[in-house]
Amino acid sequence: MAATGVARKESGVIVDWLKWIVVMVLVAVGVVGNWYFGDQPFLYRALALVGLALVAGFAALQTERGQRVWNLAREARTELRRVVWPNRQETTQTTLIVLILILLFALILWGLDSGLSFLVKQVIG
């Protein structure tokens, strides 16, 4: 029984690799085809590239890694829905605080730079 599970897992890995090869071939066909048919109208080339991208994406989603990426994207979307976004007033206040602090630190650094320059000029002569 254990040998059958290992063989099944290995064949699954091989099938996944074959699917990724199909994805890479589709992407290469899109790149070369876009170059080769460069004299054709842009709309036709764009539609062909979108079609190839959809087919390549579908093929990628059939792999184990593609499924994990799809699940991650779904979970990220769910988390984004849970986020409590700041309102306009909070955003404006936070932005003003950041700008004031930037100005304050710029003035402090300018003062330190000027003071140290003055001291170095006094020492060097």
Side-chain angles (χ1 to χ4, degrees):
M1 290 251 185
T4 306
V6 171
R8 188 174 300 157
K9 182 173 174 104
E10 287 178 5
S11 69
V13 170
I14 293 170
V15 170
D16 265 4
W17 271 102
L18 290 174
K19 290 176 185 175
W20 282 114
I21 290 171
V22 168
V23 169
M24 288 185 275
V25 167
L26 287 171
V27 169
V29 165
V31 170
V32 172
N34 190 41
W35 167 77
Y36 185 76
F37 294 108
D39 57 340
Q40 298 299 317
F42 176 74
L43 177 64
Y44 298 149
R45 289 184 293 138
L47 289 174
L49 285 174
V50 168
L52 275 173
L54 288 174
V55 172
F58 179 76
L61 285 176
Q62 302 308 309
T63 64
E64 181 184 334
R65 183 169 288 169
Q67 283 295 315
R68 287 189 300 200
V69 169
W70 181 253
N71 289 335
L72 177 67
R74 280 197 343 234
E75 291 171 7
R77 185 174 179 216
T78 303
E79 287 298 321
L80 276 176
R81 289 181 180 171
R82 294 181 189 171
V83 172
V84 178
W85 297 100
N87 59 28
R88 186 177 185 95
Q89 180 184 5
E90 291 171 334
T91 304
T92 304
Q93 288 174 348
T94 305
T95 302
L96 286 175
I97 289 169
V98 168
L99 291 175
I100 289 169
L101 286 173
I102 288 172
L103 181 64
L104 178 69
F105 282 110
L107 288 173
I108 290 170
L109 289 173
W110 173 76
L112 285 172
D113 184 48
S114 297
L116 290 173
S117 279
F118 177 75
L119 285 174
V120 168
K121 285 180 184 176
Q122 293 302 319
V123 170
I124 292 177

